[in-house]
Amino acid sequence: MKKRFLTIAFIAITCFVNAQKDSVTPVEKIPFDGIDQTWQNGSDRRDSSVFNKMKYFTPSILMDVAYTHSFNNPNDNTVVGSTALARNNEIQLNALHFGGDFYYKGARARIMTQFGMRSQVVPRNDFSPYRGQYKLADVYRFLSEAYAGYHINKWYGINIDAGLFMSYIGLNSYYQPENWEYQASFTSDNTPWFFNGVRIQIFPSKNLKIEPWLINGWQSYGRFNSMPGLGFNVTWMSSNSNIKLLTNDYYGTDAAGLPDRIRFHSDNSFLLRYYNHPESRGVSRMAFSLTGDIGYEKGGGVNGFTSDPVKGPAQYFESAMFYNRIWFNKNKFAWTIGGGVMTNPGRYLVLYPTGQASPLPNPNNPTQTEGAFPFSANPGDPFNGWDISTNFDFMPNQSITFRFELVNRHSDVPYFAGAGGVTSQTGYTTTPLDPSWRPDLVTSETRFILAILFRL
């Protein structure tokens, strides 16, 4: 009898425990939990948010105020060939972002506004608004991120989002407080900052993210042809926080009115933290990032990696960039040095000059170019460039960075703004052009940058 009672009691207790397990909501696992990402190039360097105790909304504020001086001294103060800078010899609000993350029972959304120079500089490089109506660049220019979606509590999480989101290609973050350098190398500056479409973030383990995309196109608000853009990101980080590997890959048709021209691009980065003593008053941390890109366009008059007398000239993109960063005095100071190279024989990813050198459509008459003397962007026109930069950061706390940076950039064709600028002989758009004047493009520039980068 006693034995039977113990058996029945054991069965009852087991059933009760199993019922309790079934009634408890599974604990949500956090991707990359416990992995230190604060040292990584292109990542948030904060270890926490001052708003992290808010239940349904976590605010975010970012500000980028900078002064830059080009030793070419262009008379119109215009910066050519950059998505980070727009004006020389002036203190400018380059970016102001505020917004945050909303969440409620799996529903999620993120909204980040965008004001300042970048709201003009970045959308100008998108040709898709010229297809059809409604001025897409004006519709979206004051948003850097705006998406809604749903979180599924499976593995370490699955997020399904639709809207405007960051692209990840080129390693660097769109938000300057996250980057080791201010003026991005050609690899990052000539690849996308944003996508518009749908993404699925899958975290099968704490260390791994797999993220497919279905998007309108390559940094485009709209779609160029009938085919949408397809791509994915895979990111892996080591449990000891010292290694990060990622690949971004893209396929689409992004040449306006040329549906037979396809584009493929692969962007790959390796980051290594090879020294970490955060309490040291001397050298407290050391790390490097290495990024390599390769891509091409083929069809519609161009032929990928090789020129062909029938199929057209070569049209490809190869680039690499390397940065090494050393932190000092408990990570309050840092010194970064690095640079990169790019070859692009068809100029299809080169940022176009502005002003009278712009080959982009004239907003007032899109059938004509914006500039009277446009920079050539024809297939078969080569463009090779290289750059080197170094900077010194002072970071008294996790929310602010004071940066001094020196940058030297070169190209094998006239490209950067020279002393004569790209606007007019006086530097003002109100001056009628002298018939003998031409935009002053040169093959090199050296500049320094002073920046205050804030994030809360």
Side-chain angles (χ1 to χ4, degrees):
M1 179 68 68
K2 183 177 180 181
K3 185 176 180 181
R4 182 178 296 175
F5 175 80
L6 291 174
T7 301
I8 293 172
F10 176 77
I11 293 172
I13 292 171
T14 301
C15 291
F16 176 80
V17 170
N18 288 334
Q20 293 298 305
K21 286 182 178 179
D22 292 338
S23 65
V24 174
T25 302
V27 176
E28 184 175 348
K29 297 177 180 178
I30 301 174
F32 306 121
D33 187 28
I35 296 176
D36 179 14
Q37 302 179 57
T38 61
W39 62 272
Q40 296 173 1
N41 195 359
S43 294
D44 186 355
R45 70 178 184 85
R46 300 174 302 163
D47 56 21
S48 62
S49 169
V50 296
F51 305 113
N52 61 2
K53 293 185 179 180
M54 298 180 69
K55 189 173 182 181
Y56 300 115
F57 174 59
T58 301
S60 184
I61 303 169
L62 298 98
M63 189 176 295
D64 166 13
V65 180
Y67 170 89
T68 185
H69 171 76
S70 168
F71 290 95
N72 291 342
N73 289 303
N75 68 347
D76 58 357
N77 286 6
T78 300
V79 177
V80 170
S82 174
T83 60
L85 299 160
R87 305 274 297 188
N88 290 295
N89 301 322
E90 300 171 357
I91 297 172
Q92 291 289 342
L93 174 65
N94 284 328
L96 168 62
H97 308 275
F98 59 87
D101 298 279
F102 301 82
Y103 31 83
Y104 178 73
K105 294 184 177 180
R108 53 187 253 125
R110 179 172 174 82
I111 300 172
M112 290 297 292
T113 59
Q114 171 177 266
F115 299 96
M117 298 303 302
R118 295 193 100 184
S119 67
Q120 298 291 319
V121 170
V122 173
R124 78 176 287 269
N125 298 300
D126 177 13
F127 263 93
S128 71
Y130 295 102
R131 184 188 189 193
Q133 304 296 312
Y134 298 115
K135 297 183 178 180
L136 295 181
D138 293 338
V139 169
Y140 286 115
R141 71 170 66 252
F142 299 113
L143 295 169
S144 60
E145 295 177 84
Y147 59 80
Y150 191 75
H151 173 79
I152 301 171
N153 194 14
K154 173 70 174 178
W155 298 315
Y156 276 77
I158 300 174
N159 301 322
I160 303 173
D161 301 316
L164 187 67
F165 54 90
M166 296 288 94
S167 73
Y168 310 104
I169 289 182
L171 179 67
N172 280 46
S173 168
Y174 185 65
Y175 302 121
Q176 287 289 14
E178 298 184 347
N179 295 327
W180 290 358
E181 78 285 2
Y182 192 96
Q183 173 55 58
S185 184
F186 286 111
T187 299
S188 282
D189 230 13
N190 291 268
T191 47
W193 290 122
F194 68 85
F195 288 146
N196 199 3
V198 178
R199 71 177 182 189
I200 303 174
Q201 296 178 318
I202 304 166
F203 300 91
S205 72
K206 181 181 78 170
N207 306 79
L208 179 64
K209 178 182 76 170
I210 301 170
E211 181 176 309
W213 313 317
L214 176 64
I215 53 183
N216 287 341
W218 178 273
Q219 188 163 288
S220 62
Y221 294 129
R223 198 174 63 191
F224 291 100
N225 299 293
S226 60
M227 177 187 170
L230 303 171
F232 64 89
N233 163 270
V234 178
T235 299
W236 179 86
M237 302 182 201
S238 64
S239 296
N240 65 6
S241 304
N242 290 335
I243 299 174
K244 180 179 182 180
L245 291 167
L246 65 147
T247 182
N248 307 281
D249 297 272
Y250 174 85
Y251 179 84
T253 58
D254 301 289
L258 295 172
D260 296 330
R261 183 177 297 182
I262 60 96
R263 172 181 295 171
F264 171 78
H265 195 96
S266 181
D267 166 84
N268 308 277
S269 293
F270 171 67
L271 294 86
L272 175 67
R273 183 177 65 180
Y274 55 92
Y275 183 88
N276 187 41
H277 291 276
E279 297 305 314
S280 172
R281 291 192 175 275
V283 175
S284 52
R285 191 158 62 189
M286 292 189 286
F288 72 78
S289 67
L290 174 63
T291 299
D293 281 33
I294 187 168
Y296 66 89
E297 286 190 326
K298 191 167 185 175
V302 296
N303 195 48
F305 291 102
T306 59
S307 294
D308 184 274
V310 177
K311 296 179 179 179
Q315 183 99 317
Y316 63 88
F317 180 98
E318 292 178 339
S319 71
M321 64 181 188
F322 175 86
Y323 291 94
N324 189 77
R325 187 168 173 90
I326 303 174
W327 290 258
F328 307 90
N329 191 19
K330 299 183 179 181
N331 300 330
K332 291 188 180 296
F333 298 90
W335 171 54
T336 302
I337 186 169
V341 296
M342 179 186 75
T343 181
N344 190 334
R347 301 186 186 179
Y348 77 100
L349 291 183
V350 175
L351 297 174
Y352 296 138
T354 186
Q356 298 298 340
S358 172
L360 294 170
N362 185 332
N364 299 317
N365 184 0
T367 62
Q368 298 179 358
T369 58
E370 185 177 28
F373 311 100
F375 177 80
S376 175
N378 296 322
D381 290 343
F383 185 96
N384 299 286
W386 62 271
D387 60 272
I388 187 169
S389 67
T390 186
N391 66 42
F392 188 79
D393 289 351
F394 172 48
M395 301 164 288
N397 59 52
Q398 67 174 6
S399 290
I400 195 160
T401 299
F402 299 91
R403 176 167 293 170
F404 173 78
E405 182 164 300
L406 186 65
V407 185
N408 183 249
R409 300 195 292 171
H410 292 261
S411 63
D412 63 348
V413 296
Y415 177 66
F416 306 103
V422 293
T423 303
S424 72
Q425 61 273 17
T426 67
Y428 286 85
T429 58
T430 55
T431 302
L433 296 183
D434 186 313
S436 64
W437 179 88
R438 294 293 184 271
D440 185 14
L441 298 180
V442 296
T443 58
S444 67
E445 72 167 13
T446 300
R447 69 171 60 253
F448 70 80
I449 303 164
L450 300 172
I452 298 176
L453 309 173
F454 174 84
R455 180 171 196 166
L456 194 64

